[in-house]
Amino acid sequence: MTRSAEGQRRVTISDIALLAGCSKATVSKAVNNQPGISEEARQRVLKIAELAGWRPSARAVALAGRTRTVGFILDRRPDLLAADPYHAELVSGIESVLARHGYWLLLRIGTHASPEEEAATYRELAHSHRVDGVLVAETSVDDYRFGLVKELGLPAVVVSRPWSPVDLPWEGPEHPGGGMDEAVRHLVARGRDRIAYVCGPPSRSYVVYRTRTLVQAVADCGTALVGIRQTDASAEEGFAATAALLAQPQPPTAILYDNDQMALAGCRAINAAGLRIPDDVAVVGHDDLSVSRWFTPALTTVSQDVFGLGVRCATRLLGILGEQVEEPPAFADPVLVVRESAG
């Protein structure tokens, strides 16, 4: 008999087997999604286990070949991650699904000196059997990780659309330009004739998508593109990039940024140059972080459902792992939220 710390008797696998009228082996196969039983029997066992409030112990699950853990590796300096609320929203969406299904998230944050060092981290996860699957985020144009996770036999879902077709599932907006075309049209319609763009790392898939969309939108509108500045997506580099753009012989009358924290830092640089927002320079951010609406002037930004992206990615991966999951709501394309900084 097993008792909790409060002295109450805990439900065991033997209890579930007795209630379901089957063997303990059948219960184990049902909860670990293993073959050898009918789907009807599996669902009956799972329902009884749910009603009884029973879950297999972590040790029993591990022995059965499942860890009920999902890996998420972010190759980013911890200080940059701490200043970027985007990933906090993404992880919150992921966790909201994993927790509901009894899964854990193994989050690994840090910079890797080389692709080989990063690959070693994935190999360690696979060879140590610490995770059942992984989420692959912040992809690059030629991302070696797509082939690596398949080589390692790690079930994987890509967070946001890859640059080129891959033999892996992905979740994200169908049109990955990040709302840049809508933002450019809005600015041009309000008389902005010199557009600039402060982007993140140029190798990132999302940066290439957004850059291509922005350049095409500027050409379609017949206005001028007066500069693209590449950064590490930090506020510090956003400030420096803005200052450099404003020092040009023909400074921009509108600047778009790859994230809100760079846009807010850019506003500081514009004010430091003695210019007014939006009278002299209009500003558009990206991601619609909660702080953006409280800034003065309130930040015009491209809104995307980052929490919902995490939900869809986690749901897709659990479905691949054989869990019974409900299809989440459709993922909407990013939309422009017009506030004071763009007129």
Side-chain angles (χ1 to χ4, degrees):
M1 181 180 294
T2 305
R3 293 187 178 275
S4 67
E6 293 79 17
Q8 296 177 328
R9 184 183 182 280
R10 288 198 182 113
V11 178
T12 67
I13 189 173
S14 298
D15 296 323
I16 302 303
L18 182 63
L19 290 169
C22 63
S23 67
K24 290 193 290 184
T26 297
V27 175
S28 178
K29 289 177 180 178
V31 298
N32 290 296
N33 200 36
Q34 294 176 335
I37 63 172
S38 68
E39 187 58 28
E40 180 183 356
R42 187 188 313 279
Q43 293 304 319
R44 186 177 70 254
V45 170
L46 292 176
K47 185 64 175 177
I48 290 172
E50 180 183 2
L51 292 173
W54 176 79
R55 288 187 181 278
S57 69
R59 181 174 180 274
V61 172
L63 290 172
R66 296 288 296 275
T67 66
R68 302 193 76 81
T69 302
V70 167
F72 191 22
I73 299 171
L74 286 173
D75 185 28
R76 179 173 285 220
R77 290 193 346 240
D79 60 316
L80 291 181
L81 193 67
D84 182 6
Y86 172 92
H87 285 96
E89 289 190 33
L90 181 66
V91 169
S92 295
I94 293 168
E95 278 280 29
S96 71
V97 175
L98 298 187
R100 191 163 64 248
H101 291 272
Y103 275 72
W104 295 85
L105 180 66
L106 178 60
L107 180 62
R108 179 77 173 267
I109 301 169
T111 54
H112 299 93
S114 65
E116 290 75 20
E117 184 179 310
E118 185 178 25
T121 303
Y122 281 89
R123 294 185 190 281
E124 178 188 349
L125 284 181
H127 296 157
S128 63
H129 304 288
R130 296 180 66 186
V131 298
D132 296 330
V134 293
L135 297 168
V136 180
E138 296 198 312
T139 63
S140 58
V141 173
D142 297 312
D143 204 308
Y144 73 92
R145 294 175 297 171
F146 300 149
L148 177 64
V149 295
K150 292 184 70 66
E151 171 199 327
L152 296 174
L154 279 172
V157 170
V158 179
V159 181
S160 292
R161 185 172 187 161
W163 172 245
S164 56
V166 296
D167 189 22
L168 286 174
W170 60 270
E171 289 289 343
E174 186 63 30
H175 301 96
M180 289 299 184
D181 47 356
E182 185 183 0
V184 168
R185 288 193 296 269
H186 172 83
L187 292 167
V188 172
R190 281 148 185 81
R192 307 296 171 164
D193 56 354
R194 296 191 300 274
I195 307 292
Y197 176 35
V198 177
C199 67
S203 63
R204 299 292 191 196
S205 300
Y206 77 88
V207 173
V208 181
Y209 275 123
R210 292 180 190 177
T211 302
R212 185 176 68 172
T213 301
L214 180 143
V215 169
Q216 185 62 54
V218 168
D220 291 343
C221 291
T223 193
L225 180 63
V226 297
I228 296 178
R229 292 279 170 165
Q230 299 169 348
T231 72
D232 64 0
S234 69
E236 291 78 10
E237 292 203 5
F239 182 97
T242 304
L245 287 168
L246 296 176
Q248 295 177 164
Q250 280 206 322
T253 55
I255 307 176
L256 295 89
Y257 297 81
D258 253 346
N259 59 44
D260 282 0
Q261 59 263 30
M262 284 203 298
L264 296 178
C267 289
R268 182 70 178 269
I270 293 168
N271 290 330
L275 300 173
R276 297 168 299 167
I277 305 168
D279 302 62
D280 301 313
V281 185
V283 172
V284 177
H286 203 289
D287 296 339
D288 194 18
L289 303 179
S290 58
V291 67
S292 301
R293 72 191 64 182
W294 303 113
F295 190 75
T296 302
L299 184 65
T300 294
T301 184
V302 177
S303 177
Q304 59 176 342
D305 184 7
V306 181
F307 183 91
L309 177 60
V311 168
R312 289 195 66 87
C313 289
T315 301
R316 185 77 174 272
L317 183 55
L318 291 192
I320 293 170
L321 295 175
E323 297 291 334
Q324 297 294 320
V325 292
E326 294 182 0
E327 180 67 19
F331 196 87
D333 283 328
V335 295
L336 184 68
V337 179
V338 179
R339 300 192 183 105
E340 297 165 359
S341 70

